[in-house]
PDB file of all heavy atoms in Angstrom:
ATOM      1  N   THR A 113      -8.306   4.673  -4.011  1.00 93.00           N
ATOM      2  CA  THR A 113      -7.833   3.376  -4.507  1.00 93.00           C
ATOM      3  C   THR A 113      -9.003   2.504  -4.877  1.00 93.00           C
ATOM      4  O   THR A 113     -10.014   2.490  -4.186  1.00 93.00           O
ATOM      5  CB  THR A 113      -7.061   2.626  -3.406  1.00 93.00           C
ATOM      6  OG1 THR A 113      -6.791   3.490  -2.342  1.00 93.00           O
ATOM      7  CG2 THR A 113      -5.811   2.020  -3.922  1.00 93.00           C
ATOM      8  N   THR A 124     -11.856   2.978  -2.250  1.00 92.00           N
ATOM      9  CA  THR A 124     -11.596   3.395  -0.868  1.00 92.00           C
ATOM     10  C   THR A 124     -10.762   4.653  -0.961  1.00 92.00           C
ATOM     11  O   THR A 124      -9.893   4.761  -1.819  1.00 92.00           O
ATOM     12  CB  THR A 124     -10.762   2.327  -0.140  1.00 92.00           C
ATOM     13  OG1 THR A 124     -11.112   1.060  -0.613  1.00 92.00           O
ATOM     14  CG2 THR A 124     -10.956   2.399   1.354  1.00 92.00           C
ATOM     15  N   SER A 125     -11.002   5.587  -0.075  1.00 93.00           N
ATOM     16  CA  SER A 125     -10.177   6.803  -0.108  1.00 93.00           C
ATOM     17  C   SER A 125      -9.481   6.976   1.231  1.00 93.00           C
ATOM     18  O   SER A 125      -9.966   6.499   2.267  1.00 93.00           O
ATOM     19  CB  SER A 125     -11.029   8.020  -0.443  1.00 93.00           C
ATOM     20  OG  SER A 125     -12.052   8.156   0.501  1.00 93.00           O
ATOM     21  N   PHE A 126      -8.362   7.628   1.190  1.00 94.00           N
ATOM     22  CA  PHE A 126      -7.585   7.884   2.404  1.00 94.00           C
ATOM     23  C   PHE A 126      -6.962   9.256   2.284  1.00 94.00           C
ATOM     24  O   PHE A 126      -6.386   9.607   1.248  1.00 94.00           O
ATOM     25  CB  PHE A 126      -6.501   6.809   2.566  1.00 94.00           C
ATOM     26  CG  PHE A 126      -5.828   6.841   3.910  1.00 94.00           C
ATOM     27  CD1 PHE A 126      -6.447   6.282   5.017  1.00 94.00           C
ATOM     28  CD2 PHE A 126      -4.588   7.416   4.069  1.00 94.00           C
ATOM     29  CE1 PHE A 126      -5.843   6.307   6.261  1.00 94.00           C
ATOM     30  CE2 PHE A 126      -3.972   7.448   5.304  1.00 94.00           C
ATOM     31  CZ  PHE A 126      -4.599   6.901   6.406  1.00 94.00           C
ATOM     32  N   VAL A 129      -1.370  13.143   5.944  1.00 95.00           N
ATOM     33  CA  VAL A 129      -0.175  13.952   5.753  1.00 95.00           C
ATOM     34  C   VAL A 129       0.909  13.033   5.228  1.00 95.00           C
ATOM     35  O   VAL A 129       1.122  11.950   5.770  1.00 95.00           O
ATOM     36  CB  VAL A 129       0.270  14.588   7.095  1.00 95.00           C
ATOM     37  CG1 VAL A 129       1.570  15.335   6.918  1.00 95.00           C
ATOM     38  CG2 VAL A 129      -0.800  15.505   7.621  1.00 95.00           C
ATOM     39  N   ILE A 131       4.298  11.634   5.099  1.00 96.00           N
ATOM     40  CA  ILE A 131       5.452  11.714   5.998  1.00 96.00           C
ATOM     41  C   ILE A 131       6.717  11.140   5.392  1.00 96.00           C
ATOM     42  O   ILE A 131       7.806  11.315   5.926  1.00 96.00           O
ATOM     43  CB  ILE A 131       5.175  11.035   7.363  1.00 96.00           C
ATOM     44  CG1 ILE A 131       4.821   9.557   7.190  1.00 96.00           C
ATOM     45  CG2 ILE A 131       4.096  11.764   8.125  1.00 96.00           C
ATOM     46  CD1 ILE A 131       4.779   8.817   8.502  1.00 96.00           C
ATOM     47  N   PHE A 142       4.814   6.257  -1.196  1.00 97.00           N
ATOM     48  CA  PHE A 142       4.768   7.325  -0.211  1.00 97.00           C
ATOM     49  C   PHE A 142       3.870   6.882   0.933  1.00 97.00           C
ATOM     50  O   PHE A 142       2.971   6.065   0.764  1.00 97.00           O
ATOM     51  CB  PHE A 142       4.290   8.645  -0.813  1.00 97.00           C
ATOM     52  CG  PHE A 142       2.953   8.571  -1.482  1.00 97.00           C
ATOM     53  CD1 PHE A 142       1.796   8.942  -0.811  1.00 97.00           C
ATOM     54  CD2 PHE A 142       2.838   8.128  -2.792  1.00 97.00           C
ATOM     55  CE1 PHE A 142       0.569   8.861  -1.427  1.00 97.00           C
ATOM     56  CE2 PHE A 142       1.610   8.049  -3.409  1.00 97.00           C
ATOM     57  CZ  PHE A 142       0.477   8.421  -2.724  1.00 97.00           C
ATOM     58  N   ILE A 143       4.150   7.425   2.111  1.00 97.00           N
ATOM     59  CA  ILE A 143       3.379   7.055   3.308  1.00 97.00           C
ATOM     60  C   ILE A 143       2.537   8.244   3.728  1.00 97.00           C
ATOM     61  O   ILE A 143       3.031   9.367   3.853  1.00 97.00           O
ATOM     62  CB  ILE A 143       4.323   6.660   4.467  1.00 97.00           C
ATOM     63  CG1 ILE A 143       5.251   5.529   4.039  1.00 97.00           C
ATOM     64  CG2 ILE A 143       3.506   6.222   5.672  1.00 97.00           C
ATOM     65  CD1 ILE A 143       6.187   5.072   5.126  1.00 97.00           C
ATOM     66  N   LEU A 144       1.245   7.982   3.953  1.00 97.00           N
ATOM     67  CA  LEU A 144       0.339   9.004   4.467  1.00 97.00           C
ATOM     68  C   LEU A 144      -0.033   8.644   5.888  1.00 97.00           C
ATOM     69  O   LEU A 144      -0.299   7.480   6.183  1.00 97.00           O
ATOM     70  CB  LEU A 144      -0.940   9.073   3.633  1.00 97.00           C
ATOM     71  CG  LEU A 144      -0.800   9.451   2.171  1.00 97.00           C
ATOM     72  CD1 LEU A 144      -2.173   9.528   1.541  1.00 97.00           C
ATOM     73  CD2 LEU A 144      -0.075  10.753   1.998  1.00 97.00           C
ATOM     74  N   ARG A 145      -0.066   9.651   6.750  1.00 96.00           N
ATOM     75  CA  ARG A 145      -0.424   9.399   8.140  1.00 96.00           C
ATOM     76  C   ARG A 145      -1.624  10.252   8.508  1.00 96.00           C
ATOM     77  O   ARG A 145      -1.676  11.437   8.189  1.00 96.00           O
ATOM     78  CB  ARG A 145       0.750   9.748   9.059  1.00 96.00           C
ATOM     79  CG  ARG A 145       0.435   9.468  10.516  1.00 96.00           C
ATOM     80  CD  ARG A 145       1.603   9.769  11.417  1.00 96.00           C
ATOM     81  NE  ARG A 145       1.192   9.777  12.799  1.00 96.00           N
ATOM     82  CZ  ARG A 145       1.101   8.689  13.557  1.00 96.00           C
ATOM     83  NH1 ARG A 145       1.411   7.533  13.069  1.00 96.00           N
ATOM     84  NH2 ARG A 145       0.701   8.778  14.809  1.00 96.00           N
ATOM     85  N   ASN A 146      -2.562   9.644   9.190  1.00 94.00           N
ATOM     86  CA  ASN A 146      -3.713  10.381   9.671  1.00 94.00           C
ATOM     87  C   ASN A 146      -4.127   9.804  11.013  1.00 94.00           C
ATOM     88  O   ASN A 146      -3.787   8.674  11.336  1.00 94.00           O
ATOM     89  CB  ASN A 146      -4.872  10.274   8.673  1.00 94.00           C
ATOM     90  CG  ASN A 146      -5.864  11.406   8.838  1.00 94.00           C
ATOM     91  OD1 ASN A 146      -5.751  12.200   9.776  1.00 94.00           O
ATOM     92  ND2 ASN A 146      -6.825  11.480   7.948  1.00 94.00           N
ATOM     93  N   VAL A 153      -3.049   6.122  11.983  1.00 96.00           N
ATOM     94  CA  VAL A 153      -3.024   5.110  10.922  1.00 96.00           C
ATOM     95  C   VAL A 153      -2.066   5.595   9.851  1.00 96.00           C
ATOM     96  O   VAL A 153      -2.128   6.748   9.441  1.00 96.00           O
ATOM     97  CB  VAL A 153      -4.414   4.925  10.278  1.00 96.00           C
ATOM     98  CG1 VAL A 153      -4.373   3.813   9.248  1.00 96.00           C
ATOM     99  CG2 VAL A 153      -5.449   4.633  11.325  1.00 96.00           C
ATOM    100  N   GLU A 154      -1.192   4.712   9.417  1.00 96.00           N
ATOM    101  CA  GLU A 154      -0.288   5.047   8.325  1.00 96.00           C
ATOM    102  C   GLU A 154      -0.547   4.104   7.175  1.00 96.00           C
ATOM    103  O   GLU A 154      -0.716   2.898   7.387  1.00 96.00           O
ATOM    104  CB  GLU A 154       1.171   4.902   8.769  1.00 96.00           C
ATOM    105  CG  GLU A 154       1.610   6.025   9.663  1.00 96.00           C
ATOM    106  CD  GLU A 154       3.028   5.850  10.133  1.00 96.00           C
ATOM    107  OE1 GLU A 154       3.782   5.078   9.519  1.00 96.00           O
ATOM    108  OE2 GLU A 154       3.372   6.502  11.122  1.00 96.00           O
ATOM    109  N   MET A 155      -0.565   4.676   5.975  1.00 97.00           N
ATOM    110  CA  MET A 155      -0.780   3.825   4.799  1.00 97.00           C
ATOM    111  C   MET A 155       0.289   4.129   3.786  1.00 97.00           C
ATOM    112  O   MET A 155       0.550   5.293   3.483  1.00 97.00           O
ATOM    113  CB  MET A 155      -2.139   4.145   4.195  1.00 97.00           C
ATOM    114  CG  MET A 155      -3.198   3.192   4.599  1.00 97.00           C
ATOM    115  SD  MET A 155      -4.406   3.041   3.323  1.00 97.00           S
ATOM    116  CE  MET A 155      -5.169   1.562   3.813  1.00 97.00           C
ATOM    117  N   ARG A 156       0.881   3.077   3.277  1.00 97.00           N
ATOM    118  CA  ARG A 156       1.921   3.246   2.273  1.00 97.00           C
ATOM    119  C   ARG A 156       1.342   2.846   0.926  1.00 97.00           C
ATOM    120  O   ARG A 156       0.895   1.712   0.761  1.00 97.00           O
ATOM    121  CB  ARG A 156       3.109   2.376   2.629  1.00 97.00           C
ATOM    122  CG  ARG A 156       4.237   2.529   1.663  1.00 97.00           C
ATOM    123  CD  ARG A 156       5.452   1.810   2.170  1.00 97.00           C
ATOM    124  NE  ARG A 156       6.558   1.978   1.260  1.00 97.00           N
ATOM    125  CZ  ARG A 156       7.805   1.655   1.551  1.00 97.00           C
ATOM    126  NH1 ARG A 156       8.082   1.154   2.716  1.00 97.00           N
ATOM    127  NH2 ARG A 156       8.753   1.837   0.662  1.00 97.00           N
ATOM    128  N   PHE A 157       1.359   3.758  -0.023  1.00 96.00           N
ATOM    129  CA  PHE A 157       0.790   3.521  -1.351  1.00 96.00           C
ATOM    130  C   PHE A 157       1.896   3.405  -2.371  1.00 96.00           C
ATOM    131  O   PHE A 157       2.854   4.166  -2.357  1.00 96.00           O
ATOM    132  CB  PHE A 157      -0.126   4.676  -1.767  1.00 96.00           C
ATOM    133  CG  PHE A 157      -1.336   4.822  -0.910  1.00 96.00           C
ATOM    134  CD1 PHE A 157      -1.344   5.697   0.153  1.00 96.00           C
ATOM    135  CD2 PHE A 157      -2.475   4.069  -1.159  1.00 96.00           C
ATOM    136  CE1 PHE A 157      -2.458   5.843   0.948  1.00 96.00           C
ATOM    137  CE2 PHE A 157      -3.590   4.203  -0.369  1.00 96.00           C
ATOM    138  CZ  PHE A 157      -3.586   5.092   0.684  1.00 96.00           C
TER     139      PHE A 157
ATOM    140  N   ARG B  79      -1.104  -5.403   1.951  1.00 90.00           N
ATOM    141  CA  ARG B  79      -2.314  -5.738   1.201  1.00 90.00           C
ATOM    142  C   ARG B  79      -1.895  -6.251  -0.172  1.00 90.00           C
ATOM    143  O   ARG B  79      -0.819  -5.910  -0.652  1.00 90.00           O
ATOM    144  CB  ARG B  79      -3.187  -4.499   1.046  1.00 90.00           C
ATOM    145  CG  ARG B  79      -3.647  -3.913   2.367  1.00 90.00           C
ATOM    146  CD  ARG B  79      -5.102  -4.133   2.611  1.00 90.00           C
ATOM    147  NE  ARG B  79      -5.457  -3.805   3.972  1.00 90.00           N
ATOM    148  CZ  ARG B  79      -6.051  -2.662   4.336  1.00 90.00           C
ATOM    149  NH1 ARG B  79      -6.339  -1.744   3.431  1.00 90.00           N
ATOM    150  NH2 ARG B  79      -6.351  -2.455   5.587  1.00 90.00           N
ATOM    151  N   ARG B  83      -0.187  -2.082  -0.985  1.00 93.00           N
ATOM    152  CA  ARG B  83      -0.363  -1.123   0.094  1.00 93.00           C
ATOM    153  C   ARG B  83       0.102  -1.722   1.411  1.00 93.00           C
ATOM    154  O   ARG B  83       0.029  -2.931   1.613  1.00 93.00           O
ATOM    155  CB  ARG B  83      -1.845  -0.764   0.250  1.00 93.00           C
ATOM    156  CG  ARG B  83      -2.315   0.355  -0.628  1.00 93.00           C
ATOM    157  CD  ARG B  83      -3.728   0.731  -0.281  1.00 93.00           C
ATOM    158  NE  ARG B  83      -4.674  -0.298  -0.597  1.00 93.00           N
ATOM    159  CZ  ARG B  83      -5.941  -0.250  -0.225  1.00 93.00           C
ATOM    160  NH1 ARG B  83      -6.389   0.749   0.481  1.00 93.00           N
ATOM    161  NH2 ARG B  83      -6.766  -1.211  -0.565  1.00 93.00           N
ATOM    162  N   TYR B  84       0.553  -0.856   2.319  1.00 96.00           N
ATOM    163  CA  TYR B  84       0.906  -1.293   3.674  1.00 96.00           C
ATOM    164  C   TYR B  84       0.109  -0.444   4.644  1.00 96.00           C
ATOM    165  O   TYR B  84      -0.016   0.749   4.470  1.00 96.00           O
ATOM    166  CB  TYR B  84       2.395  -1.096   3.935  1.00 96.00           C
ATOM    167  CG  TYR B  84       3.280  -2.083   3.229  1.00 96.00           C
ATOM    168  CD1 TYR B  84       3.745  -1.850   1.950  1.00 96.00           C
ATOM    169  CD2 TYR B  84       3.658  -3.275   3.867  1.00 96.00           C
ATOM    170  CE1 TYR B  84       4.554  -2.763   1.309  1.00 96.00           C
ATOM    171  CE2 TYR B  84       4.472  -4.186   3.225  1.00 96.00           C
ATOM    172  CZ  TYR B  84       4.914  -3.928   1.948  1.00 96.00           C
ATOM    173  OH  TYR B  84       5.709  -4.825   1.307  1.00 96.00           O
ATOM    174  N   VAL B  85      -0.442  -1.075   5.689  1.00 96.00           N
ATOM    175  CA  VAL B  85      -1.183  -0.333   6.714  1.00 96.00           C
ATOM    176  C   VAL B  85      -0.519  -0.572   8.061  1.00 96.00           C
ATOM    177  O   VAL B  85      -0.141  -1.698   8.377  1.00 96.00           O
ATOM    178  CB  VAL B  85      -2.644  -0.820   6.837  1.00 96.00           C
ATOM    179  CG1 VAL B  85      -3.467   0.230   7.543  1.00 96.00           C
ATOM    180  CG2 VAL B  85      -3.229  -1.120   5.492  1.00 96.00           C
ATOM    181  N   ARG B  86      -0.425   0.491   8.820  1.00 96.00           N
ATOM    182  CA  ARG B  86       0.193   0.414  10.149  1.00 96.00           C
ATOM    183  C   ARG B  86      -0.680   1.176  11.108  1.00 96.00           C
ATOM    184  O   ARG B  86      -1.172   2.255  10.767  1.00 96.00           O
ATOM    185  CB  ARG B  86       1.543   1.143  10.091  1.00 96.00           C
ATOM    186  CG  ARG B  86       2.773   0.356  10.333  1.00 96.00           C
ATOM    187  CD  ARG B  86       3.918   1.323  10.303  1.00 96.00           C
ATOM    188  NE  ARG B  86       3.705   2.328  11.325  1.00 96.00           N
ATOM    189  CZ  ARG B  86       4.396   2.404  12.450  1.00 96.00           C
ATOM    190  NH1 ARG B  86       5.324   1.532  12.698  1.00 96.00           N
ATOM    191  NH2 ARG B  86       4.134   3.352  13.319  1.00 96.00           N
ATOM    192  N   VAL B 130     -10.476   0.387   8.373  1.00 92.00           N
ATOM    193  CA  VAL B 130      -9.494   1.025   7.486  1.00 92.00           C
ATOM    194  C   VAL B 130      -8.719  -0.047   6.726  1.00 92.00           C
ATOM    195  O   VAL B 130      -8.174  -0.947   7.342  1.00 92.00           O
ATOM    196  CB  VAL B 130      -8.523   1.905   8.294  1.00 92.00           C
ATOM    197  CG1 VAL B 130      -7.431   2.437   7.397  1.00 92.00           C
ATOM    198  CG2 VAL B 130      -9.279   3.063   8.925  1.00 92.00           C
TER     199      VAL B 130
END
Side-chain angles (χ1 to χ4, degrees):
Chain A
T113 348
T124 326
S125 58
F126 191 79
V129 175
I131 59 170
F142 56 96
I143 304 181
L144 298 183
R145 181 178 167 85
N146 202 353
V153 184
E154 285 178 19
M155 261 210 162
R156 182 172 181 168
F157 295 95
Chain B
R79 299 251 169 101
R83 273 187 293 171
Y84 286 88
V85 198
R86 243 184 59 108
V130 174

